[in-house]
Amino acid sequence: MSTAVVVEAPGEHRLAAHTPREPAAGEALVRVHAVGICGSDREVYQGNRPEGYVRYPLTPGHEWSGTVTAVGAGVPDSLVGRKVVGEGFRNCQVCDRCHAGETTLCSAGYEETGFTQPGAMATTLTLPARLLHVLPDDADLTAAALLEPAACVAAAALKVNARPGERVAVVGTGTLGMFAVQFLKAGSPAGLLVVGTRPDREELSKRFGATDFRTRDQDLPADFDVVVETAGSASAARTAASLLRRGGRLVLTGIPAPGAEGLDPTDLVVRQLEVHTVFGAPPDAWAHTVRVFGAGLLDPLPLVTHELPLDGFPRAIELVGSGDPKVGKVLLRP
């Protein structure tokens, strides 16, 4: 029987019967292979996602991979049978931000798969075909389920525009941090430092391309051209800024708790720091991610530590919030 996870309200969920929705014009029906769990899914379940960024009842799941099984009118039949991943933001396509390619800033309002629209914690997912990115035929769909967080980091890498020979650093050693290391390594930096709170991540960081690893309580240099912050705390943001040379470039991808104390504006001005932020991934970041993945320069599989069936949703949420250093990326397999 086809099933889906349904979060009825904060703290309330059930495993429900799932009937695949036939694709309408412009849509595609995807058989879900795997779906990732992240901190925002935990927010959905706990009820502490910001107002307007979730709509109950809801089937979560915004990080996923699968295979197209049917398409609606106007969608090429050649898409059927292809392995795919998909963008989450349901942009309007007609506002000035969408025309500029900044679909995560769509002025028509926020709509996203797995938060306000049905997500991939189900046997199938029906969505606009224009959001799909086709993978190579030999792509590993388990690895591909992590391409959504990778695309968010790709957005950061594209914004910060690290050039070959620059000194770069990453603050944070979670999934986003490890993807940031891989993207920055592909740009041939002169040096790549990873800063985190978990010494056990040193080996993996260097496997992905880091040339140095330090914890935040160690002496840290302050001569980097580019720093990508992925830890999602105000203290991590301040650490990231402190690593930069004058005129350096910083991009923040983590989301601290509301009310967190931010960066010192005096420091930003006096040192002429260039600061960017990322929330989600626009189409160019998705396309970049799929290209890098297809070229073999992105290796998500070492980040996966747990794979559970859909009825393991409560356990998956528990694992994500456990703080256990042995827990990496958790996947559900419909």
Side-chain angles (χ1 to χ4, degrees):
M1 180 183 72
S2 294
T3 55
V5 172
V6 178
V7 179
E8 296 283 2
E12 301 177 18
H13 85 282
R14 61 188 174 92
L15 201 64
H18 171 72
T19 301
R21 182 172 70 79
E22 290 301 312
E27 292 186 324
L29 174 65
V30 176
R31 182 176 68 252
V32 178
H33 173 83
V35 54
I37 306 283
C38 83
S40 55
D41 296 303
R42 185 174 168 83
E43 290 177 351
V44 167
Y45 183 65
Q46 293 180 326
N48 50 17
R49 188 160 173 81
E51 185 178 356
Y53 288 85
V54 64
R55 187 180 302 133
Y56 301 100
L58 173 72
T59 293
H62 61 288
E63 306 176 2
W64 58 270
S65 63
T67 303
V68 177
T69 60
V71 295
V75 180
D77 291 335
S78 59
L79 197 59
V80 175
R82 299 304 303 272
K83 296 177 179 179
V84 294
V85 290
E87 299 176 31
F89 284 81
R90 306 290 186 93
N91 55 300
C92 74
Q93 305 182 78
V94 295
C95 71
D96 58 346
R97 291 302 88 208
C98 286
H99 283 168
E102 298 175 336
T103 56
T104 61
L105 300 177
C106 177
S107 58
Y110 171 78
E111 294 286 345
E112 186 176 3
T113 300
F115 296 107
T116 63
Q117 297 290 330
M121 291 186 195
T123 310
T124 68
L125 173 66
T126 303
L127 74 167
R130 62 184 171 79
L131 300 178
L132 297 179
H133 290 262
V134 177
L135 302 171
D137 290 338
D138 61 352
D140 185 321
L141 282 176
T142 300
L146 279 70
L147 292 187
E148 192 277 340
C152 295
V153 175
L158 291 172
K159 275 195 173 185
V160 83
N161 190 28
R163 295 178 282 272
E166 289 192 309
R167 287 174 50 77
V168 302
V170 174
V171 176
T173 58
T175 298
L176 295 182
M178 294 300 95
F179 277 134
V181 173
Q182 295 182 64
F183 276 113
L184 293 173
K185 175 62 177 178
S188 302
L192 203 175
L193 168 69
V194 173
V195 179
T197 59
R198 291 175 47 185
D200 63 293
R201 297 295 263 187
E202 179 174 0
E203 180 180 352
L204 188 59
S205 298
K206 290 186 174 178
R207 173 178 169 181
F208 285 144
T211 57
D212 192 8
F213 181 95
R214 304 189 192 187
T215 55
R216 279 197 250 169
D217 56 355
Q218 293 178 294
D219 289 336
L220 299 175
D223 59 351
F224 287 90
D225 302 289
V226 167
V227 179
V228 176
E229 179 277 324
T230 67
S233 70
S235 62
R238 290 190 289 270
T239 295
S242 74
L243 294 170
L244 288 166
R245 64 165 172 80
R246 294 192 68 200
R249 309 189 300 282
L250 170 65
V251 60
L252 306 175
T253 69
I255 304 178
E261 293 186 6
L263 303 176
D264 180 355
T266 301
D267 180 59
L268 299 182
V269 173
V270 171
R271 293 204 289 138
Q272 299 184 63
L273 300 184
E274 185 178 319
V275 181
H276 299 271
T277 61
V278 166
F279 177 65
D284 63 339
W286 271 97
H288 182 62
T289 300
V290 171
R291 282 194 301 269
V292 173
F293 177 66
L297 299 175
L298 201 61
D299 185 12
L301 275 181
L303 302 175
V304 178
T305 59
H306 295 76
E307 296 183 52
L308 304 170
L310 279 184
D311 61 10
F313 173 74
R315 174 62 177 156
I317 293 294
E318 180 183 331
L319 285 168
V320 169
S322 68
D324 185 342
K326 295 180 180 179
V327 177
K329 196 63 184 180
V330 180
L331 300 181
L332 294 181
R333 297 289 297 273

